[in-house]
Each structure stands twice: as C-alpha cells, then as structure tokens.
Amino acid sequence: MALRTILHYPDPRLRRTAQPVAAVTDAIRALIADMAETMYGAPGIGLAAVQVDEPYRVVVIDISESRDQLQVFVNPEITSREGEQQMEEGCLSVPGIYEPVTRAARIKMRALDREGKPFELETAGLLATCIQHEVDHLDGKVFVDHLSRLKQSRIRKKLEKQSRLAM
Amino acid sequence: MRAAKSSRSNPRALCVRIVDEVVARRRYLDAALDEHLPRAPAAARAFIQEMAYGTLRWFHQLAAIAALLLERPLKQKDRDIHALLLIGLYQLRSMRLPAHAAVTETVAAAEALGKPWAKNLLNACLREYLRRAARLDEVIESDPVLQYSHPAWLTEEIRGVYPEHWEQVLAAGNERPPMVLRVNLLKNSRAEYLARLKTAGLAAAPHPAAESAVTLETPVAVAELPGFAQGCVSVQDAAAQLAAGLLDAQPGERVLDACAAPGGKTAHLLERTPTLAECLALDADPARTALIEQNLARLGLQARVVVGDAAAAATWWDGRPFARILADAPCSATGVIRRHPDIKLRRRPEDLPKLIETQRRILDGLWPLLSRGGKLLYATCSILPRENEQQIEAFLARHADAREAPLAPPVGLARAAGRQILPGMEGMDGFYYAGLRKI
C-alpha cells in the first residue's frame, strides 16, 4: 500500500473521462487499497481514481464517523435520480474550498464490489451526494463546475496562487 | 469528496475565528461565541468555548511562547495561523488531551482554514514546544507580564497601586470564576432554594458575603437551574449582590438605577424592597434596555424602564427627586477579567481617560436629581483607583453639599474613599463601592 499524490484543480488531468474496468484484478485491488489509504490520510470521505491520476472507473467512500466503513464502487452507474438536496461540499482536489451544491436527494445505482461481484444500492443523504460527487470525477467533472462562473474563476485564481506559493 | 464539517465546523478552525475576532477586531468574546457556536456540532461546543476562553486568558503568555518557537513572525494576513498556533499551545499546556492528539488535530485544522501550507510549520512549532517546555517555562516565570498573562500597562498599574496584593490580583484574573446565583427571596428563601438544588443533583453552598447568594460547585446552563424560567433565581456574582444592601432603599422611596442594563441590580433592588414608591431603570442603549425588561418579566417584577443618558438628565427627567440613586458606571471592567478574559485584549490604556470622563459626567449629572438627605451609591467593576477612590475624592472636592456615607457592612478593603473588593476576595469579582450623602 502506498499514499498517492492527489491532483489539484485546475489540473487538466482531472478532466479526463475514466475508462471502465474490464476485470477486477489484483492490480485494481492494489489501486483500491492505495486509494483508501490516501482518502483516510487526507482526510476525506470519498476519492475517485481520476484524482490520483489513474483513469479507471473506481471510487472509494467512507462517510462513517469511526472511519471503518469503507465502501468500494467499481464501474459505478447511477440508474435513477429523484428530488433535490443541497449540501456543502469540499473536495480533496480543491483544497480549502467549501460551497453548497444542489444534487439529487435519492439515487439508485449499481456497481461491482472489490471482488468483482455486481450489486445494487438505493440511498439518500450524504452518501447519495458523495456518490454523485465521485461519479462526476469519473466523467471529468469537479464540484466547482456546479457553481457560478464568478465563483469558479475566483476559486481557480486562489488555487493557482496557492500552488505557485507551494513551489 | 471532503466532508463540509471538516471546514466550517472544525472545532479548532471555528475557535480560530472566534479568537481572531476578539484579538483583531476587539469584538466581545460573548458576541463572537453567540455567533459562531451554534454552527458547531452540539457535542463540540463546550470544548470550543473552553479553548476560546483559555487561549484568550493566556494570550500574552502563549503569544510570547509562539514568538520563541517561530523562526520569523507570521505575516499579518496569516493571523489565523498565529491564532491556531496559540490554540494548539493552550491545549498542550492546559487541557486534558493526549499531546499527540492535540498536535495532530491542530495541524489538521490548518487544512480546514484553507492553508495546508501551514501544516508543517504548526507541526514543527508544537513538537518543538513539547521538547522545550521546561526551558520555556523558566523564561515565562522570569517576567510577571508573561507569568500572569495580563497586558504590560495593566500589570504595571496594578503592581503600583496594590504593592501588597498585586500578584494575588493578577492570579485571580486567571481563575475560572464560580457560578454564583441570586435567590429571589420574594419567591423562596435561600435554604429552600438550596434544597431544590440538592434535589436536582446540583452541589451548592450559601455565600458568606450576601444573604441571597449561592455558589454552585460546578457551573451549569441556566436552563438546568430549578425554577429559573419562573424567576426563582438569577445569575449574579456575590460582589454585585452587595449593591442592593449597600444602597439600602426603604419602602416608599423613589429610586433610580442609572446605568441599569442588563437589569440584574434593578431586579435585586426590587426583590429586596418590593414596596418602593417607584423604581426607574435607566440605560442609554435601547438594545440593552430590552434586556432589563426581559429580566424583570422573568422575575415577575416591575420598574419604569427608560432609555436615556445618565449624564444628561434634562432629556428624560421629570424633575421629581430620588431618595436613592445607584450609579453602576461604565468602567474598565478590570475587576471581572476572570469572567471576561477578552478584556485583557480589548482594553487599551488610552481608553481610561475617556471612561473616567464619562464617570465624572454621570456623577455630576445625577447629583442634582438626588433629594437632600438622599444617598447615591457609586459602583464599578474596576480595580483601578483612577476610576474609583480618585473619582470620588475629586467629586467630593467639587461638591460642597456632598459627604461620604460609610458603607454597611464594610466590604473589601478600606480606601481613601469607598471600599474596594479585589477579585478573588471571598471568591468574589473585583468591585468598588462608595456612598455619597447629600446634605
């Protein structure tokens, strides 16, 4: 297991569309383990493979307080969305920025687990928001894309300045 | 995704905002807590409050330690990181938390403030502190300003005016104050109320200085006090509970409480002497006079509440004299620093001349309103003679028809005029009282 480097917005590599995983191999399981470690270390409640520069449709999530309820989603697909809810979101690729985003309140989805076995899930609340946020990443989208142009450009400038200072 | 709660409701990041508003904008700590605490998870509120009080209480000391740990001072725009460093140091010095958890969580809060670059800096400073704590303590103990963590000007002034008591006074300013209650003796006796507290599982003892006062062993939210909403009890330090007895208003008299908000002493006057001819509660701030009304309503008491400036009676006075006047004047509040540690940061030496002038105007403005033979009780929660005995001596020199009226019981220390309660005496807040009789 290893900690991976998280790409930071507006890195163009966050804009790539991830490809489906053909088979859940040991290599994918190793990626999942790295992603979990990286997410817990950050600390975050969800991480998509795209954020660690791996263009595969793999997501890890743990929204528990105790940080011991890891959920793995390979090739996740949202099959239905209902209602609306607004939550304040942040992103490991957009450090220090928190903004309210409106998304579906309830979703149905299917995916493969870490053994490659298909499962279905119907959920709401924070988990629903988090899944939508991570699936966006797999399609090259970041949560700031849901904000106004003005907010987007402010955030971009702030983060560009931060990364210059860090270098 | 990162959970929003790691940012706006990160306890330490929230505490940074509270501390910074007090330090940089001289905001009242109470006001900053009222605004920010409701955003925190309920379980974290007591913890945040403890960190904010503690960091401000020890600010001067913690800032000196931080200066020794930082290779170079932080920039003005990184005041939040400076505040976070002090909060981290406070946890390490005074809170019962494992050191590693305090360091890790404080470092993580930099992320919540949107300044991940500061994580290394905080980590290095806090670990360096743990290595050098004993040596740093020696530095602190060599300088009373750092040891007692009061501003230098105030430390010097207190040292000058209380050569025998100054260390005791400064140490008392850093104590956690007791929660003291005033039993509404119209509704229940002190013994009855003590029994109610016992039934509710709250340990308490009668306070020796005031007949209505009860000290709780551990502070609680007022909602947990039996009969609070029904007006059986109020929260008020024992030193403030002395005012009603010292004023000693008699049935049938007309009484003025000239700087009344939030109304604690007004209410006490009425509880002690319910058959006054009239009690007029005056305050210059309309928002604060509303507090008087609320307090009186809860206690089932009635007074005439008027918005007006005590120093400008022409704008509100009907020309009928008062037999007793309580003038609890605006002051430096240096006697209640243990309750409001933000005073150490908000109060500046240049505020003093203005406060002293206001007190003088209030005393001179109220004097014509007092009937012949009537008594004015001057009170402050200050421990500085400039606002207290010197103010009264100057008043007596200006007014040929004024004499000092001895206070009964004789509370605190005798001064050239009036009596001074120093903070910590019988567990009380610092308070000054002087009686003036019109001849």
Side-chain angles (χ1 to χ4, degrees), chain B residues 182 263-272 295-296 299 301:
Chain B
R182 185 187 77 237
K265 295 191 190 72
T266 315
H268 192 195
L269 296 178
L270 290 161
E271 287 169 8
R272 185 177 180 277
N295 256 321
L296 294 175
L299 293 160
L301 301 168

Side-chain angles (χ1 to χ4, degrees), chain A residues 85 103-107 123-133:
Chain A
Q85 68 181 0
R103 299 184 187 269
R106 288 175 302 282
I107 59 165
T123 189
L126 178 59
L127 183 57
T129 285
C130 190
I131 290 170
Q132 293 172 78
H133 176 118

Side-chain angles (χ1 to χ4, degrees), chain A residues 45-46 65 88 90 98 134 162, chain B residues 1-2 4-5 7-8 114:
Chain A
I45 58 170
E65 290 281 331
E88 195 161 275
Y98 297 86
E134 301 310 334
Q162 266 180 21
Chain B
M1 178 167 164
R2 192 196 303 273
K5 65 175 173 229
S7 122
R8 302 227 172 134

Side-chain angles (χ1 to χ4, degrees), chain B residues 19-179:
Chain B
V19 167
D20 186 57
E21 285 178 8
V22 174
V23 175
R25 290 173 27 205
R26 294 177 74 181
R27 193 168 184 202
Y28 285 92
L29 174 57
D30 290 345
L33 285 169
D34 283 349
E35 182 186 329
H36 292 288
L37 272 193
R39 289 205 240 144
R45 284 179 201 158
F47 175 71
I48 295 170
Q49 185 160 337
E50 156 70 17
M51 272 193 303
Y53 268 91
T55 303
L56 292 169
R57 185 169 284 139
W58 295 104
F59 185 90
H60 296 82
Q61 186 181 96
L62 298 172
I65 296 174
L68 294 169
L69 294 170
L70 287 163
E71 274 176 36
R72 62 185 79 88
L74 286 158
K75 290 182 193 136
Q76 182 61 20
K77 70 181 171 78
D78 295 323
R79 269 192 342 248
D80 51 353
I81 297 301
H82 186 252
L84 181 56
L85 176 56
L86 302 196
I87 289 166
L89 289 169
Y90 175 68
Q91 293 165 67
L92 293 178
R93 287 178 72 75
S94 306
M95 287 181 84
R96 270 180 251 145
L97 266 164
H100 65 89
V103 173
T104 311
E105 292 299 321
T106 302
V107 168
E111 186 112 23
L113 292 169
K115 296 193 173 172
W117 58 264
K119 287 161 88 175
N120 286 340
L121 175 99
L122 289 163
N123 196 36
C125 284
L126 294 173
R127 289 187 191 282
E128 176 76 0
Y129 168 76
L130 290 172
R131 275 190 295 275
R132 284 169 55 190
R135 176 76 195 98
L136 290 165
D137 277 342
E138 285 172 28
V139 176
I140 287 164
E141 277 157 31
S142 69
D143 179 348
V145 171
L146 304 184
Q147 185 185 354
Y148 296 112
S149 200
H150 281 57
W153 70 270
L154 187 57
T155 307
E156 280 316 304
E157 182 152 349
I158 291 173
R159 195 175 182 168
V161 295
Y162 300 110
E164 282 161 36
H165 296 101
W166 68 279
E167 289 190 280
Q168 194 182 314
V169 169
L170 293 172
N174 295 326
E175 292 288 322
R176 285 160 207 258
M179 184 166 179

